[in-house]
Amino acid sequence: MTRSGRWAEWGVSLPSFVWLTVFFVVPTLIVLSIAFHAPSSDGGFASGFTMETWKAVVRTPYKEIVWRTIWISAVTTAVCILLSLPCAYSIARMNTRWRAIVAGLIMLPFWTSFIVRVFAWRTLLNPEGFLQHVLIALGLADASVSLNYNSGAILVVSVYSFLPFAIMPIYTAAEKFDFSLMEAARDLGARSFFAFRKIFLPGVKRGVVSAILMVFIPAIGSYVIPDLVGGRDSELIGNKIYQRTFPDRNLPHASALAAVMGFSVLLPLAWVAWMIKRQDAREAKRLAEATARKLSGGAA
Amino acid sequence: MADEFLVFDHVTKRFGALTAVDDVSFSIKKGEFFSLLGPSGCGKTTLLRMVGGFERPDSGRIYLDGKDITDAPPNMRRVHTVFQNYALFPTMTIWDNIAFSLRLAKKPKAEIEESVDAILEMIRMSDHAWKYPSQLSGGQKQRVAIARALVDRPQVLLLDEPLAALDLKLRQHMLLELDTIHDQVGITFVYVTHDQGEAMSLSDRIAVMNLGKVEQLDTAAKIYEAPRSSFVAAFIGDTNFLVGEIVSTEGDYCTIKVEGLGAVSAYNDRKLDVGRKVHLSVRPEKIRVTLNPPPPEKGAGINIFTAEVTDVIYQGVYTKYWLKSGGRSMSALKPHSRFLLDQESITWKDRVYLWWHPDDGYMVENFSPMDVSLIQDPPAPKESSTP
Ligand SMILES: Nc1ncnc2c1ncn2[C@@H]1O[C@H](COP(=O)(O)OP(=O)(O)OP(=O)(O)O)[C@@H](O)[C@H]1O
Ligand SMILES: [Mg+2]
């Protein structure tokens, strides 16, 4: 790249860099730094460095909660992606009019408050609620089974809430996808599902990656859903942070938990980045191998 | 049977009220280079997509090598398509693109490598094997698309206007290349185009389509020299239509009384009787234009008329003359060469002789006045600025 080109690139990315620093990096560091102070009785924090909070966090049995937060978020993300792919595919194949209608229907729930919608689920899953009655009528459950207040309920409501955030980026990518490639694959002997997996999926890879982020990150920080439909033994980190901040008035402890949560988001992000890197590396390796093969073939 | 390798049996395809392919029946021979030629929207792509398995006919059957393939899904036919936009897989290298069908067929690794390397050699793209499609030029992409479709030796290769996106020179080059490839692989090619030059220079046989029907199926020369309908005569090349009635027959020839022109002699291959209304197509390049009458040694019985030049259009290879004879307009083409003995310069308003041999006119079987609009109209008469 030329010198001026590099400067131009800097110039373009500078505003977003400043924005991210001022409104994301600095606040994150402030939150993190609070975890190294002692709590004060007025709900704030005292001056002076201490590791006591961290020791307390490690001592408290959070492991189960962290683990549960991660697996519920991961399963929510996986289910959302699996549902979104065929969804986005079929919407992108519709004609323009139907596309607009269906896209509108997907966004429709957003006209109702998020909390109201989760509350509706709570009513729906209630032992006296509609779903329980249906299941009992079908003989699939009896009155002793509880649909509400467990990890399963959190999972179902999370998938419901985050699904549009997965469909939209994948649909946006699918809209730009050249569907004649699918015909080409079929033409060359691929079955429909193979073409979907090997041609469509790589074609909307970017959409899938942003869908993963759009679902996984809010799922990790989820607080309203476990609070309303989760039970005593299905709390997530979000609930704990709330408890430490407000009822317990222990801000440093809450900050330490927030840091743990941030870490659980960064980990999968790093994993995604690493996977992409590794794919590039694999490509490069194959290229080198093939060149070597050609060279040796040419010499023989 | 080799003569009936790919067979269309009363194939019809409708889109709503529109009949895109209308009761089409014909067959393509094994190993043939076959072209579907016709104007935009006449149903060429639709017909091709039914062979590929992407559309299903509303009625009729399609047979390949004796087997009914009408309802077979695309992946169950040994038929591959070269798409107009190439449709190369952007996330795969050229090598992987070409290996796609072989890998699907679970061929042994060594065989895949051998076949892909061989076909890359054939299209002279070995050095580009590890590039991605976005890194290739249009002509290179085209060659890769052809290689990808040929590598596992399909029974039929379908090409839908494969050269439409290329510039003229590259198109001419790729035409030669396609011809060579066809000779090398010996696979049946079905080539769709609306460019008559492409179709004529490549094809063993051509089906001329119009409004969902096949108007004529013949060799290039037959289609040009003996067009069965006014559509074929007007769509392929340029022509003059003379309308008249047969007034007498003499052996293989007949005399036609043409309105506004007079008696015209023509070859009567269908042995039509006196009194029949006929439509004669005379191609402009078959008509000679001279200042002097034709020399007597050109033979008796040729058609000679006097005319006035109403327009002269220089076209490089030819000059096109618009002539008015007895109230009707005709066009004639004349190549340029000092060696043409009668190379006098003929200009606007000259009185000239136009003459052609009776064998050079062809009476079309089906005439539709609509088709006359396909041929160029004479330019609007100019007002002379100087007397
Ligand atoms: N999927 C479709 N839905 C509705 N109408 C269609 C569809 N595909 C083709 N048609 C119509 O069928 C007719 C034939 O189309 P087709 O694509 O076969 O023409 P073509 O001969 O290939 O033309 P071109 O040279 O422009 O490619 C056209 O009038 C077209 O509008
Ligand atoms: Mg077409």
Side-chain angles (χ1 to χ4, degrees), chain B residues 30-33 150 153-157 182 185-189:
Chain B
K30 189 168 186 170
E32 193 171 30
F33 199 125
L150 279 176
R153 308 238 143 209
Q155 290 174 298
V156 179
L157 184 71
H182 178 251
V185 297
I187 287 169
T188 311
F189 278 35

Side-chain angles (χ1 to χ4, degrees), chain A residues 131-146:
Chain A
L131 273 181
Q132 186 101 13
H133 283 301
V134 170
L135 288 181
I136 290 170
L138 290 173
L140 293 173
D142 57 52
S144 67
V145 175
S146 172

Side-chain angles (χ1 to χ4, degrees), chain B residues 229-239 241 283 371-372 374-375:
Chain B
S229 66
S230 55
F231 173 79
V232 175
F235 182 70
I236 317 278
D238 195 2
T239 195
F241 285 119
R283 302 240 179 237
D371 298 328
V372 179
L374 287 170
I375 55 183

Side-chain angles (χ1 to χ4, degrees), chain B residues 220-337:
Chain B
K222 278 267 189 55
I223 280 179
Y224 191 77
E225 302 294 343
R228 198 172 310 138
S229 66
S230 55
F231 173 79
V232 175
F235 182 70
I236 317 278
D238 195 2
T239 195
N240 296 285
F241 285 119
L242 303 178
V243 188
E245 197 185 293
I246 298 181
V247 288
S248 67
T249 60
E250 309 85 26
D252 284 342
Y253 295 88
C254 65
T255 304
I256 307 161
K257 192 169 174 300
V258 176
E259 303 143 22
L261 197 65
V264 171
S265 178
Y267 181 61
N268 187 7
D269 69 330
R270 281 184 291 135
K271 303 276 176 275
L272 299 176
D273 289 327
V274 172
R276 268 291 287 267
K277 191 176 180 200
V278 292
H279 299 88
L280 190 67
S281 153
V282 188
R283 302 240 179 237
E285 77 277 9
K286 314 248 174 185
I287 301 176
R288 303 279 280 124
V289 184
T290 52
L291 285 174
N292 301 311
E297 70 268 19
K298 293 287 181 194
I302 68 171
N303 297 302
I304 308 169
F305 299 96
T306 57
E308 188 192 287
V309 179
T310 55
D311 213 337
V312 181
I313 304 161
Y314 179 77
Q315 293 181 337
V317 182
Y318 295 104
T319 293
K320 184 169 190 169
Y321 295 97
W322 280 102
L323 310 152
K324 201 154 201 145
S325 180
R328 57 157 302 142
S329 269
M330 291 181 73
S331 63
L333 288 177
K334 193 169 167 177
H336 310 122
S337 164

Side-chain angles (χ1 to χ4, degrees), chain A:
Chain A
M1 200 187 291
T2 61
R3 202 184 185 83
S4 65
R6 208 171 306 159
W7 278 113
E9 196 167 89
W10 263 104
V12 170
S13 42
L14 193 65
S16 52
F17 185 73
V18 170
W19 175 275
L20 275 177
T21 308
V22 172
F23 294 107
F24 182 73
V25 178
V26 171
T28 306
L29 290 177
I30 292 173
V31 169
L32 192 61
S33 69
I34 292 173
F36 294 96
H37 295 283
S40 68
S41 52
D42 63 349
F45 52 91
S47 58
F49 176 86
T50 173
M51 286 299 283
E52 279 312 308
T53 311
W54 286 100
K55 284 179 192 154
V57 169
V58 173
R59 251 183 280 118
T60 329
Y62 283 129
K63 212 178 85 188
E64 202 187 336
I65 289 181
V66 171
W67 174 236
R68 186 186 303 122
T69 308
I70 291 176
W71 84 252
I72 287 186
S73 306
V75 173
T76 302
T77 310
V79 173
C80 281
I81 299 295
L82 284 180
L83 292 176
S84 303
L85 278 168
C87 234
Y89 178 88
S90 9
I91 301 172
R93 302 238 68 178
M94 290 171 185
N95 64 33
T96 337
R97 216 183 100 223
W98 274 104
R99 264 189 225 178
I101 293 172
V102 175
L105 285 176
I106 287 171
M107 303 311 285
L108 198 63
F110 290 105
W111 288 85
T112 317
S113 148
F114 175 59
I115 294 183
V116 170
R117 278 182 285 135
V118 178
F119 238 102
W121 270 101
R122 185 181 156 122
T123 321
L124 212 58
L125 296 171
N126 198 53
E128 293 301 312
F130 174 74
L131 273 181
Q132 186 101 13
H133 283 301
V134 170
L135 288 181
I136 290 170
L138 290 173
L140 293 173
D142 57 52
S144 67
V145 175
S146 172
L147 298 174
N148 240 348
Y149 314 126
N150 54 38
S151 302
I154 299 179
L155 200 62
V156 168
V157 179
S158 296
V159 168
Y160 159 80
S161 307
F162 298 129
L163 192 57
F165 296 103
I167 295 179
M168 277 306 159
I170 299 179
Y171 163 63
T172 311
E175 214 179 15
K176 294 194 202 90
F177 180 76
D178 175 8
F179 281 96
S180 69
L181 295 177
M182 298 289 281
E183 283 193 353
R186 300 272 286 132
D187 187 79
L188 292 166
R191 277 181 288 124
S192 312
F193 185 65
F194 184 90
F196 183 86
R197 212 156 48 89
K198 288 285 168 154
I199 306 298
F200 179 72
L201 204 51
V204 296
K205 196 170 81 183
R206 277 161 197 279
V208 173
V209 169
S210 49
I212 289 175
L213 301 182
M214 296 274 285
V215 175
F216 189 77
I217 293 173
I220 283 278
S222 182
Y223 154 71
V224 171
I225 297 172
D227 199 47
L228 290 182
V229 300
R232 186 174 295 283
D233 48 4
S234 57
E235 283 179 320
L236 304 187
I237 301 185
N239 307 86
K240 279 290 169 231
I241 295 174
Y242 166 79
Q243 285 162 20
R244 296 295 166 259
T245 313
F246 296 104
D248 296 0
R249 300 171 71 76
N250 187 339
L251 213 50
H253 203 118
S255 298
L257 279 179
V260 170
M261 192 181 89
F263 196 63
S264 14
V265 173
L266 278 178
L267 218 60
L269 272 186
W271 179 73
V272 168
W274 180 71
M275 285 295 279
I276 291 172
K277 265 254 162 64
R278 199 181 63 153
Q279 203 174 0
D280 287 348
R282 253 205 313 247
E283 210 77 63
K285 194 166 147 245
R286 273 198 54 196
L287 208 150
E289 275 171 8
T291 317
R293 199 186 78 221
K294 230 187 103 192
L295 285 178
S296 63

Side-chain angles (χ1 to χ4, degrees), chain B residues 60-72:
Chain B
R61 313 301 297 174
I62 300 172
Y63 302 90
L64 177 60
D65 202 14
K67 282 188 283 291
D68 185 342
I69 58 162
T70 320
D71 300 318

